[in-house]
């Protein structure tokens, strides 16, 4: 029963990952509907990432699979709000830095798409390793950082 439950979580995460990357690609910074869709998608993705099962072992073929993608692909986010401010180190009050929507969203989607490619190739453990491990060391941090500025943009559109 546990294996079936884990497979449902992995399958659900894969679909949420595809939805999130699609929402990023179709996002318009001046369209409240697309901003809300993206923020909701990122929130769901975060909640589901916390449920991903642990995976152990080495995955030597993962590097070969990751070379499929175009390394020059960029996620274009234009207009107001192209950048946002964040605290890089929450223990250091002087660590304020500027982040780009395009870079943060691009990093999230690149990590997700790497896992998606492995999932689609039937390499579930490799996909899970990419999604889960990079969630904790890379894309999850970007996701958490970007939800707040997106929320601010949404509320400004309501109040504007």
């Amino acid at each position: 029963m546990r294996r079936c439950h884990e497979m449902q979580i992995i399958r659900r995460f894969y679909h949420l990952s595809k939805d999130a990357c699609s929402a990023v690609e179709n996002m318009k910074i001046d369209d409240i509907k697309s901003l809300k869709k993206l923020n909701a998608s990122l929130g769901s993705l975060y909640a589901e990432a916390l449920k991903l099962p642990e995976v152990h072992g080495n995955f030597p073929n993962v590097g070969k699979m990751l070379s499929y993608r175009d390394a020059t692909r960029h996620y274009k986010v234009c207009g107001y709000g192209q950048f946002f401010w964040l605290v890089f180190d929450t223990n250091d009050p002087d660590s304020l830095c500027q982040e780009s929507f395009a870079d943060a969203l691009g990093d999230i989607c690149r990590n997700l798409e790497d896992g998606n490619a492995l999932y689609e190739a039937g390499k579930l453990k490799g996909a899970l390793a990419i999604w889960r491990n990079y969630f904790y060391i890379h894309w999850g941090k970007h996701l958490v950082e970007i939800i707040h500025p997106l929320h601010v943009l949404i509320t400004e559109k309501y109040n504007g």
Side-chain angles (χ1 to χ4, degrees), residues 93-137:
D94 297 323
S95 69
L96 188 66
C97 64
Q98 190 176 51
E99 175 70 280
S100 152
F101 275 98
D103 286 345
L105 292 169
D107 281 355
I108 292 167
C109 287
R110 276 186 290 277
N111 285 159
L112 292 174
E113 289 173 346
D114 288 343
N116 293 349
L118 291 166
Y119 178 90
E120 291 163 1
K123 300 183 181 299
L124 298 184
K125 284 188 176 184
L128 187 55
I130 293 290
W131 291 328
R132 190 175 192 285
N133 295 340
Y134 282 94
F135 170 72
Y136 287 104
I137 65 171

Side-chain angles (χ1 to χ4, degrees), residues 48-148:
E48 206 61 30
L50 292 172
K51 299 175 189 174
L52 287 172
E54 288 186 43
V55 62
H56 303 284
N58 294 326
F59 304 96
N61 294 329
V62 169
K64 292 179 187 174
M65 288 299 298
L66 301 184
S67 64
Y68 85 95
R69 70 177 155 80
D70 177 5
T72 62
R73 183 175 184 183
H74 294 285
Y75 292 84
K76 294 179 175 59
V77 180
C78 302
Y80 173 78
Q82 196 169 3
F83 296 94
F84 60 95
W85 292 96
L86 60 93
V87 177
F88 187 73
D89 178 356
T90 56
N91 295 315
D92 180 1
D94 297 323
S95 69
L96 188 66
C97 64
Q98 190 176 51
E99 175 70 280
S100 152
F101 275 98
D103 286 345
L105 292 169
D107 281 355
I108 292 167
C109 287
R110 276 186 290 277
N111 285 159
L112 292 174
E113 289 173 346
D114 288 343
N116 293 349
L118 291 166
Y119 178 90
E120 291 163 1
K123 300 183 181 299
L124 298 184
K125 284 188 176 184
L128 187 55
I130 293 290
W131 291 328
R132 190 175 192 285
N133 295 340
Y134 282 94
F135 170 72
Y136 287 104
I137 65 171
H138 189 239
W139 71 266
K141 186 174 189 295
H142 285 301
L143 187 146
V144 170
E145 292 167 347
I146 206 161
I147 286 177
H148 179 255

Side-chain angles (χ1 to χ4, degrees), residues 5-73:
H5 178 67
E6 286 181 352
M7 290 304 298
Q8 289 174 339
I9 290 169
I10 293 167
R11 190 176 313 111
R12 189 169 41 246
F13 184 85
Y14 167 75
H15 290 291
L16 287 171
S17 170
K18 298 288 278 188
D19 290 346
C21 290
S22 176
V24 168
E25 290 177 2
N26 295 312
M27 184 185 102
K28 294 177 183 75
I29 202 80
D30 58 349
D31 177 29
I32 194 167
K33 187 176 178 181
S34 80
L35 291 174
K36 287 170 82 174
K37 180 177 180 172
L38 175 61
N39 224 17
S41 182
L42 293 176
S44 297
L45 189 67
Y46 180 83
E48 206 61 30
L50 292 172
K51 299 175 189 174
L52 287 172
E54 288 186 43
V55 62
H56 303 284
N58 294 326
F59 304 96
N61 294 329
V62 169
K64 292 179 187 174
M65 288 299 298
L66 301 184
S67 64
Y68 85 95
R69 70 177 155 80
D70 177 5
T72 62
R73 183 175 184 183

